[in-house]
Amino acid sequence: MTAALVRAAEDLARDMAGLDLRGRIRLVEDRIPGRLVFTTSLGIEDQALTHALALNKGRTEIVTLDTGRLFPETYDVWTETEAAYGIRIRAYAPERTAEEAFVAAEGINGFRHSVAARQACCGFRKVEPLGRALDGAAAWFTGLRAGQSANRAETPLAEADEGRGLIKVNPLADWTRAEVDAFIRDNFIPYNVLHDRGFPSIGCAPCTRAVKVGEDERAGRWWWEQESKKECGLHLHRPEADVAPGQEPAAFEEPARSAMSRENRRELV
């Protein structure tokens, strides 16, 4: 089954390459039987995908992981998106007892104590709900792009997720950030206003800051950690929980609110 899954993903990636976004989505829906799921973070890439899915009126389910620690602006764009497209985005929330146990043991912001603690927090807030969201799915749409960070530089249009037994589809993998911005602007797509305030990548509020000039797009995520560890576990087959040298607890740094110059900010409107 694994070899067949790999071949199917490779064939799909090859055939997606020459298509536009809506064509890529239609190809996946035509070729892959079974349940199809798109997990949106409500960030700018995912808003582009939501727009295309909504216009296609296909069979892909649009869901999100409501971690309980999102920015107010994220909930605002969630509401605006549902109203704009006449859809309902299903939320998957953390399991209550796991959240209560973590807060009791580590404190409300205990994820800053170590990489292991932060990954544990991501585990019950994101990874476990994702498992429920993808239960029984044959394909998983994401908004990953190769240009988002060094860790994602090799992101293909489609790949076999052997751990979950599905095909992971990244229709924007070969898009640049400028192309995403133009698509959002040209199609009048709702987007999170934090993107206009120096936040190219938006996750949980306590774990996201504005980026500084010269930093990559995901530098504002878990900025107190080493770059090589900065994934939450959603896009890793087995997230590591060890603490490398230099990843010991660090003093909390306030998010940069005006870190980017006017010339370097990606203003969309």
Side-chain angles (χ1 to χ4, degrees), residues 26 47 52 79-80 89 99-100 103 113 136-137 155 177 188 195 198 212 227 231 236 238 246 258 267:
R26 281 192 292 264
Q47 288 299 98
T79 301
E80 189 178 355
I89 299 172
E99 179 176 10
E100 291 174 354
V103 173
H113 295 165
T155 300
R177 178 54 189 267
F188 305 98
H195 289 305
K212 301 173 183 178
E227 185 65 30
E231 289 286 352
L236 298 175
R238 186 183 65 82
S258 302
E267 297 287 355

Side-chain angles (χ1 to χ4, degrees), residues 99-142:
E99 179 176 10
E100 291 174 354
F102 179 87
V103 173
E106 301 289 344
I108 188 61
N109 287 339
F111 46 80
R112 295 200 185 99
H113 295 165
S114 67
V115 174
R118 195 271 296 166
Q119 289 175 336
C121 188
C122 289
F124 73 78
R125 293 192 188 277
K126 295 183 176 182
V127 179
E128 190 279 331
L130 175 69
R132 286 186 275 118
L134 295 180
D135 185 32
W140 170 27
F141 282 94
T142 85

Side-chain angles (χ1 to χ4, degrees), residues 28-263:
V28 174
E29 293 189 335
D30 289 344
R31 184 170 297 185
I32 301 179
R35 183 170 178 247
L36 309 178
V37 180
F38 167 45
T39 53
T40 175
S41 68
L42 300 153
I44 199 162
E45 289 87 1
D46 290 348
Q47 288 299 98
L49 266 177
T50 295
H51 172 82
L53 286 164
L55 292 188
N56 277 8
K57 299 184 183 299
R59 59 189 179 87
T60 301
E61 302 172 36
I62 304 177
V63 308
T64 193
L65 308 179
D66 184 3
T67 66
R69 302 300 302 269
L70 303 178
F71 286 93
E73 292 85 350
T74 302
Y75 292 107
D76 289 344
V77 76
W78 181 349
T79 301
E80 189 178 355
T81 301
E82 290 188 332
Y85 297 105
I87 61 175
R88 187 69 71 211
I89 299 172
R90 180 177 178 181
Y92 285 82
E95 199 275 325
R96 178 177 59 83
T97 56
E99 179 176 10
E100 291 174 354
F102 179 87
V103 173
E106 301 289 344
I108 188 61
N109 287 339
F111 46 80
R112 295 200 185 99
H113 295 165
S114 67
V115 174
R118 195 271 296 166
Q119 289 175 336
C121 188
C122 289
F124 73 78
R125 293 192 188 277
K126 295 183 176 182
V127 179
E128 190 279 331
L130 175 69
R132 286 186 275 118
L134 295 180
D135 185 32
W140 170 27
F141 282 94
T142 85
L144 296 183
R145 288 190 300 104
Q148 287 172 326
S149 69
N151 290 335
R152 298 181 176 182
E154 303 301 320
T155 300
L157 290 170
E159 58 190 312
D161 187 329
E162 299 175 42
R164 296 184 175 95
L166 52 74
I167 293 179
K168 185 176 178 181
V169 184
N170 312 304
L172 302 177
D174 56 353
W175 284 36
T176 66
R177 178 54 189 267
E179 289 173 323
V180 175
D181 287 353
F183 187 83
I184 294 293
R185 181 179 59 248
D186 294 346
N187 291 281
F188 305 98
I189 300 171
Y191 68 91
N192 195 321
V193 297
L194 291 175
H195 289 305
D196 289 340
R197 302 173 190 167
F199 289 76
S201 177
I202 302 168
C204 290
C207 296
T208 311
R209 64 157 171 79
V211 301
K212 301 173 183 178
V213 176
E215 291 182 322
D216 70 35
E217 294 183 28
R218 288 179 59 81
R221 306 291 294 276
W222 312 293
W223 65 93
W224 60 88
E225 296 181 10
Q226 290 178 354
E227 185 65 30
S228 63
K229 295 286 186 177
K230 291 169 63 172
E231 289 286 352
C232 63
L234 297 184
H235 301 292
L236 298 175
H237 296 299
R238 186 183 65 82
E240 297 184 18
D242 58 306
V243 180
Q247 297 219 276
E248 299 82 4
F252 175 54
E253 173 188 340
E254 287 293 336
R257 300 188 182 277
S258 302
M260 303 187 75
S261 68
R262 182 176 300 273
E263 292 76 19

